Amino acid sequence: MSGKELPSQARVVIVGGGVMGVGLAYHLAHEGWTDVVLLEKAELTSGSTWHAAGQITHSTSSFGLGKCVDYNIRLYSGALEAETGQAVTWHGCGSFRLAYTEDEMDWLRHTLSVGRSLGFNIELVGPDRVAELHPFYNLDGVLGALHTPDDGHVDPTNVTMAMAAGARALGARIIRRCRATNITQAANGEWVVETERGTIRCEHVVNAGGAYARQMGEWSGLQLPMTSMTHHYFVTEPVPQFQDLDHELPVIRDDRKVSGYIRMEQKRGLIGIYEKENSNSVWHDHCPWDYENWLFDADYDRVMPWLEESLNRMPIFADLGIQREVHGAISHPPDGNPLIGPAPGVRNYWCCCGTQIGIGWGPGLTRELARWMVHGAADISMRDYDPRRFGAYATKDWQVTKAHEDYKLRHEIPFPHFNRLAGRPVKPSPLYGRLNAKGAVFEEVYGHERPRWFAKDGVEQRDHYSFRRNVVHDMVATECRAVREAVGIMDISAFTKVEISGPDARALLDRLVANRLPQKVGSIALTHMLNRRGRIELETTVVKLAEDRYYLVCAAFFEQRLLDHLTQHRDEENVEIILRSDDWAALSLNGPRAREVLAACTDADLSNAGFKWLTAQEIDVAGHRLWAFRMSYAGELGWELHMPRDCALAVYDTLWAAGAPHGIADYGSFAMNALRMEKAFKGAGELTNEVTLAEADVLRFARTDKEYLGKDRTLNPDLRWVCAYLEIEPDGQNDGHGGEAVLLNGQVVGSTASVAYGHTVGKILAFAYVKPQANVPGTEVQVVIAGAPRRGRILGAPAYDPHSVLPRTDTAMEAAE
């Protein structure tokens, strides 16, 4: 069979021949899957890849993405060419990211801390160092810069062609001029890919369609949220001052003034702009199939303010003409992160699309996708990229709204907990209006609106952004104090809620969870679902409502992952899986006065004898029947109350009235996070697909006397790292944000996963993944926060109530004693 002929069968078919599709073929072959066919409708790179500017930088505050970027730079700067013999045209000129304000300096300091944990060659420098290496840039107002000397840029087409050569050399096949016209799933689970040149069947199909990915998804009944946004860069006439240079100047990233980047393009100048107003989207419904190497006419009016400022910043460009205009389309998902992983609701349909920075991010992310497909889990956390992070709420109109928002934020400061407000609210809870009137500042989780914190005492009801402590710190402290000393109530309706019933409900769950299922009706268990690699898919609470009926609660963003895990590992079991997330609401009531407040609203016996810790009962509150679970993520006496949506407001109002004499207060997710950190309860930041139960130090939730998915890898761990719990010396300003380097005797031994200030104990608390030898209680370490080392100490027990007496107490007086 010649390379141009279409085979009838393959293990994997990849549709799309840009840097993402070709990168995946290359990495699948390196992971051992060589029966791979890639289909491209035109020529490789002819969609968005060919017109990319091709820059890549170590300047990222994302720990996982940082691993990808570092791999990509090593690939571009020598490894790929050495392997394939094909030039990739790497320009290792380094780069600077400039800061004009203290907020921007704080961002760079945090990025420096993350880079230290990853071993990057990275430094924070003053304007003098920038001027020394780049004497032509106008540095008026610049306070400092992040210097990443190993950065550079690369020819996008050459990179893609080199990876294509590498993939072919290992046995993968690439067929050009072969447009796919339909993708459907056969009754036996195989995927059927119809093309202009025939049909090919496969076990796995991959959508790497770039600008076509969304409409390709519709062939298979999938909603893949992304929108094509157009982006400009300009190449000037030859620059006289560049002609005699014997080296290439560093790339300048000027987020504030230029909203983009400036660099050399051989002996010319290149200016790229992400305008902060009047952004432009195209092809809302359909990208024309005959487009190839397509560009739009330049729209100077749209970008002129930033283009003019770029000439002010690079005055040697001011008298030159523009020799080349590049105005091309790039995919933008609603949150800016690519769609890398399984498509929702189907088996063996993989997304490798929605990538706005394909050259900078692509090879590393496609390597992780290849590992996911071949081995069952990636080696970095894929939570931010998993296509299942969006639900049915992500309609086309909403996608366009969010893509415009993302484009305009591309060169804004990525503050911690940055709240993207466009297109909201989508799924407000039944308490939304009431809590909004009481000062709630909300965040969006899987479409739901969840309170973060409550503005009180004249504090403005909006997000207050900073890398340092600000007024929100004090508001959260007040909420934590109410929970610890009196009683707090929180709207937790955003949690994923799934009911599983039927004769085989227990059998299905028992082989998917590592812990023992609750045995008695009304009992509760905390457990984890694993993949075949023994890594953590998700953590869930399981409540036994009846002999053949279970109720599962987990984090909101795991909703589709949970549903897929249940349905795709279901054999012939007779079960019904019902999603309750949208039609049920939930409240959390916590604190030493929680029993008194709830007792005033129900006739149920809430004593330790009548309502034991980690049990569930149906009770009546405000005339409504609901489920009460005695459990507490805050580590206090408390209950979760789960109920139909239409009774939630009445239940909340009744509890609030009963709690008024006891000092009841609303609290949000920021306080919840601080409270769980004081109790050393691990959360989504620690329990990821990167780690096993042993590495996450939650092996106590794994059984040895039953079979379950991933057991062999769970009980025979090879500990690469382990999750440590530590306290960090506070400085009163910056508490850290995750990803910071942890040092032992001056050497990097790990990085933080979650960091929060414990208002009750007066300490910064963190979870960090460190080398096992560092995880010894009492060990003194250093944590690099805001670019500077801070003293830390490994803890051997929770900072608050280490023996967990308080959640099990019978009376408030007993708790006080």
Side-chain angles (χ1 to χ4, degrees):
M1 179 179 294
S2 74
K4 294 183 179 181
E5 293 177 357
L6 185 71
S8 61
Q9 195 81 32
R11 186 172 201 169
V12 181
V13 171
I14 302 168
V15 183
V19 68
M20 300 302 293
V22 173
L24 180 60
Y26 172 82
H27 288 101
L28 282 172
H30 273 278
E31 295 296 331
W33 281 13
T34 57
D35 185 14
V36 175
V37 174
L38 183 147
L39 307 176
E40 164 56 42
K41 74 176 183 66
E43 297 293 338
L44 299 183
T45 78
S46 61
S48 296
T49 298
W50 74 276
H51 63 68
Q55 278 122 210
I56 183 169
T57 177
H58 282 101
S59 174
T60 174
S61 301
S62 164
F63 184 82
L65 192 57
K67 286 185 174 181
C68 292
V69 167
D70 191 51
Y71 166 75
N72 295 347
I73 288 176
R74 286 186 282 111
L75 190 72
Y76 297 158
S77 61
L80 185 58
E81 185 170 339
E83 176 192 347
T84 65
Q86 292 205 198
V88 299
T89 321
W90 170 249
H91 298 259
C93 56
S95 69
F96 289 105
R97 186 179 292 279
L98 305 184
Y100 292 84
T101 68
E102 279 302 321
D103 280 336
E104 289 173 324
M105 288 295 293
D106 284 343
W107 170 25
L108 301 190
R109 292 181 185 110
H110 175 62
T111 303
L112 180 68
S113 303
V114 176
R116 183 78 186 276
S117 72
L118 291 163
F120 290 171
N121 182 13
I122 186 171
E123 61 179 345
L124 192 60
V125 300
D128 289 349
R129 179 60 172 161
V130 181
E132 179 185 347
L133 296 180
H134 198 304
F136 303 109
Y137 205 82
N138 174 1
L139 297 172
D140 288 350
V142 172
L143 300 181
L146 199 67
H147 184 208
T148 40
D150 295 336
D151 292 357
H153 58 97
V154 71
D155 184 285
T157 299
N158 285 1
V159 163
T160 308
M161 295 304 179
M163 287 194 294
R168 289 190 187 101
L170 292 171
R173 302 189 59 203
I174 296 175
I175 302 176
R176 297 169 295 116
R177 298 293 172 185
C178 183
R179 181 167 74 84
T181 58
N182 202 9
I183 301 173
T184 55
Q185 193 166 27
N188 67 353
E190 282 189 321
W191 289 96
V192 181
V193 182
E194 300 172 45
T195 81
E196 295 173 321
R197 291 162 54 179
T199 296
I200 180 171
R201 301 171 74 95
C202 55
E203 180 184 355
H204 299 266
V205 69
V206 181
N207 184 336
Y212 299 95
R214 186 180 63 189
Q215 62 206 58
M216 285 168 51
E218 292 172 354
W219 295 340
S220 308
L222 298 172
Q223 177 178 282
L224 304 179
M226 67 195 83
T227 301
S228 292
M229 304 293 299
T230 65
H231 164 60
H232 289 85
Y233 68 83
F234 304 92
V235 179
T236 71
E237 295 173 333
V239 182
Q241 292 84 350
F242 290 172
Q243 302 312 305
D244 295 328
L245 286 180
D246 59 0
H247 65 282
E248 186 170 342
L249 298 172
V251 177
I252 297 286
R253 289 177 171 82
D254 191 328
D255 301 285
R256 175 163 294 270
K257 301 294 185 178
V258 177
S259 190
Y261 49 88
I262 294 177
R263 67 166 168 87
M264 291 177 65
E265 175 68 5
Q266 298 179 8
K267 298 299 183 178
R268 296 170 173 80
L270 187 149
I271 304 165
I273 294 169
Y274 284 83
E275 61 275 19
K276 299 181 189 297
E277 298 174 7
N278 304 315
S279 52
N280 181 57
S281 58
V282 294
W283 307 325
H284 293 182
D285 294 313
H286 180 81
C287 178
W289 289 110
D290 58 350
Y291 279 15
E292 181 177 345
N293 296 100
W294 182 264
L295 290 177
F296 298 89
D297 292 337
D299 185 348
Y300 282 96
D301 289 341
R302 211 171 79 222
V303 300
M304 188 53 68
W306 297 275
L307 184 57
E308 287 179 343
E309 182 58 28
S310 73
L311 302 181
N312 177 43
R313 290 289 145 180
M314 279 291 284
I316 60 174
F317 292 174
D319 295 328
L320 302 177
I322 300 298
Q323 193 168 70
R324 184 180 178 216
E325 305 158 335
V326 178
H327 184 201
I330 304 173
S331 290
H332 279 253
D335 59 3
N337 288 326
L339 305 183
I340 309 291
V346 292
R347 187 196 297 268
N348 293 344
Y349 186 114
W350 301 86
C351 297
C352 187
C353 50
T355 311
Q356 57 164 294
I357 307 178
I359 301 301
W361 300 350
L365 287 175
T366 56
R367 179 181 64 166
E368 296 307 320
L369 179 56
R371 289 169 171 170
W372 199 346
M373 294 173 66
V374 174
H375 306 298
D379 285 343
I380 69 168
S381 173
M382 298 301 286
R383 172 184 161 185
D384 289 341
Y385 316 111
D386 194 326
R388 299 169 296 183
R389 69 189 185 271
F390 300 108
Y393 62 88
T395 62
K396 278 189 178 180
D397 287 347
W398 183 84
Q399 292 173 35
V400 173
T401 297
K402 298 301 285 186
H404 279 268
E405 177 187 51
D406 176 69
Y407 182 92
K408 288 182 280 191
L409 291 173
R410 181 73 188 85
H411 282 269
E412 291 288 352
I413 303 172
F415 284 109
H417 312 294
F418 190 86
N419 211 354
R420 297 180 176 222
L421 302 176
R424 291 172 51 191
V426 178
K427 295 197 290 187
S429 90
L431 303 180
Y432 180 81
R434 179 78 82 249
L435 299 181
N436 186 52
K438 296 173 73 174
V441 176
F442 293 92
E443 62 189 353
E444 181 265 322
V445 284
Y446 201 69
H448 298 277
E449 295 290 332
R450 180 174 68 183
R452 282 183 159 178
W453 60 280
F454 287 80
K456 304 288 185 183
D457 303 325
V459 173
E460 190 175 354
Q461 185 183 357
R462 62 172 179 83
D463 288 290
H464 298 261
Y465 294 126
S466 178
F467 283 86
R468 307 184 187 198
R469 293 183 188 176
N470 57 23
V471 67
V472 178
H473 178 86
D474 298 329
M475 298 292 99
V476 173
T478 300
E479 294 173 22
C480 290
R481 190 178 308 114
V483 175
R484 293 284 186 235
E485 298 176 2
V487 60
I489 188 168
M490 180 177 173
D491 180 5
I492 56 171
S493 300
F495 277 146
T496 292
K497 301 173 282 291
V498 173
E499 186 179 319
I500 304 173
S501 60
D504 298 324
R506 180 177 184 83
L508 173 62
L509 285 174
D510 197 44
R511 61 185 180 81
L512 292 182
V513 301
N515 202 356
R516 185 187 299 277
L517 282 173
Q519 302 296 299
K520 297 179 181 179
V521 173
S523 57
I524 301 173
L526 180 67
T527 187
H528 304 83
M529 293 186 178
L530 313 176
N531 53 50
R532 56 187 167 90
R533 205 172 177 183
R535 308 279 185 85
I536 298 171
E537 282 290 306
L538 56 92
E539 180 185 60
T540 183
T541 298
V542 182
V543 185
K544 188 171 183 177
L545 303 181
E547 285 299 336
D548 62 350
R549 185 178 168 216
Y550 295 84
Y551 185 75
L552 277 60
V553 182
C554 68
F557 44 77
F558 288 139
E559 178 173 296
Q560 190 62 50
R561 181 183 292 192
L562 173 59
L563 293 173
D564 286 351
H565 201 70
L566 291 169
T567 57
Q568 293 178 14
H569 290 96
R570 173 180 176 178
D571 289 334
E572 301 299 324
E573 285 100 346
N574 182 8
V575 299
E576 184 179 11
I577 300 172
I578 305 171
L579 181 62
R580 298 289 191 196
S581 298
D582 290 342
D583 55 354
W584 277 53
L587 296 168
S588 182
L589 189 72
N590 284 284
R593 302 295 175 184
R595 180 178 279 114
E596 295 165 73
V597 173
L598 186 56
C601 305
T602 182
D603 293 331
D605 180 359
L606 302 180
S607 68
N608 272 352
F611 205 136
K612 296 180 180 179
W613 169 247
L614 289 181
T615 65
Q617 295 182 28
E618 279 192 289
I619 67 174
D620 292 308
V621 176
H624 296 281
R625 195 74 170 165
L626 53 81
W627 277 99
F629 307 151
R630 189 174 169 193
M631 55 189 290
S632 171
Y633 198 45
E636 296 289 344
L637 177 66
W639 281 263
E640 285 188 11
L641 307 175
H642 291 246
M643 68 208 80
R645 280 181 62 93
D646 58 7
C647 65
L649 188 56
V651 171
Y652 171 85
D653 286 342
T654 300
L655 291 169
W656 185 266
H662 302 283
I664 194 170
D666 294 296
Y667 71 102
S669 64
F670 283 5
M672 178 176 68
N673 185 58
L675 297 168
R676 70 100 180 176
M677 291 294 291
E678 291 182 330
K679 284 295 298 171
F681 291 156
K682 296 179 177 70
E686 294 72 54
L687 306 175
T688 76
N689 60 265
E690 297 168 279
V691 298
T692 64
L693 295 179
E695 290 170 331
D697 194 25
V698 290
L699 199 55
R700 64 189 180 277
F701 295 107
R703 305 296 299 184
T704 61
D705 57 355
K706 55 169 272 192
E707 296 301 317
Y708 53 88
L709 181 64
K711 178 183 178 181
D712 57 331
R713 300 290 188 93
T714 298
L715 300 183
N716 299 287
D718 177 16
L719 296 179
R720 302 161 297 161
W721 45 44
V722 67
C723 190
Y725 180 58
L726 59 153
E727 64 178 2
I728 304 169
E729 177 186 26
D731 71 348
Q733 289 191 352
N734 196 314
D735 297 331
H737 307 288
E740 292 93 353
V742 179
L743 283 63
L744 178 64
N745 299 324
Q747 300 297 312
V748 175
V749 293
S751 64
T752 61
S754 298
V755 186
Y757 185 77
H759 295 273
T760 314
V761 299
K763 298 176 179 179
I764 302 173
L765 300 169
F767 285 114
Y769 275 95
V770 300
K771 294 180 179 179
Q773 65 267 25
N775 188 34
V776 178
T779 299
E780 299 288 331
V781 296
Q782 289 183 313
V783 183
V784 181
I785 295 179
R790 205 87 70 75
R791 288 189 301 172
R793 184 169 64 92
I794 305 295
L795 300 177
Y800 178 80
D801 187 23
H803 302 294
S804 292
V805 173
L806 298 176
R808 298 172 170 83
T809 54
D810 198 32
T811 66
M813 183 62 69
E814 181 183 342
E817 293 174 355

